[in-house]
Amino acid sequence: MGDATPPKEHLLIVLPLPPNQELLDGIKKKHPGITIKYHVVQFGVAFGHVPHDIPDEDFLEATILVTLGAISADVKLLKNIKLIHLFSAGADRLVNTPVWNETKIPITNSSGVHGPQISEWVILQILSNNHKQKTLLEWQQKHYWGKHTELGFIKDYVGQRLGVLGYGAIGRQTARICKGMGMDVIAYTASPRTTPESKKETGYIVPGTGDRDGLIPSAWYSGLDKAPLHNFLKQDIDVLLIAVPLTPQTRHFLGEEEFKILGKKNAFIVNIARGAIIKTEDLITAVKKPFKEGGLRGAALDVTEPEPLPADSELWDVENIVVTPHVSGLGDTYADRAFEILDINLTNLEKGKPLINLVSRKKGY
């Protein structure tokens, strides 16, 4: 008898994106024998629901599922699946579904694919606030050549401190840029990073970006409760980047107490993670408070609680709070990079190597 034939993989892709034939042909070429079925669904299909136009047979046949949100609620239909690759960076919306609680199917995510574009959005918001871009745009609309005295002097970011709450791909690329601007960077992670090896990023990072070896932060902090968080926030932070996943531990992680600490430096808050990490009303109060009383200098929110943000929410109208509709991660390279992670893991499966970007059910991300 000859060598055993490797198992044939059946790739089921369910995405709110049109198929990119070049990408799919590349996967077929690198992984001979793989079959691909592609279903385009509406954006926003909820986890745990099967879109009506996807036959049960397609789920049953699949050995690998690529999806942003459509996963069968009937785990019996997933019995042949050996890997689920999420097109999203977060897995929080999957946590309470049958596939999470009733199976042990490995789940990988697309964390890292939008590190460059989200970090650019972060820098845009930091600089726009600092250089009073909103005022300048208003002057332009009015055709008004304002006086220097009306604008005031701008304090540049040299010597100021960026605190990164969640030092993953986005935090590392933002740290890289801010370091180039002359800022000091400190990092906060859930678990301690006390050795050079533990500070390295093991997930996907866009080549030429980020801080793979974790050499940029001047100091590292860690923990899952308020005491270590407060110790981190007390380190004279000028700009706080929130980049942690939403878990039971991080839900409403930042509220009145935390903003009071940050108010001592009149910090600027940037949230690109999940809206529920912040207590919204407490943030509004802290931003509206005068600087002399410990008010925050402002906030930039690409995520809110809830989403979409209701038209009557006070957040829209608070001076020095910028709200964008969860768009910081949009980019024309998103799909290419997400499929690159899938391609890497297909190779790892074939060679019996560990998967990258593996989601931990215990941690929730």
Side-chain angles (χ1 to χ4, degrees), residues 58-70:
D58 285 2
F59 281 107
L60 277 170
E61 181 186 37
T63 59
I64 296 168
L65 173 63
V66 178
T67 183
L68 181 64

Side-chain angles (χ1 to χ4, degrees), residues 6 43 118 125 133 139 194 209 244-245 296-297 327 334 338 343 359:
F43 188 85
I118 293 183
Q125 303 306 328
Q133 185 69 5
W139 285 2
T194 56
T209 72
V244 291
L296 300 176
R297 72 180 78 165
V327 295
Y334 190 107
D343 180 48
V359 174

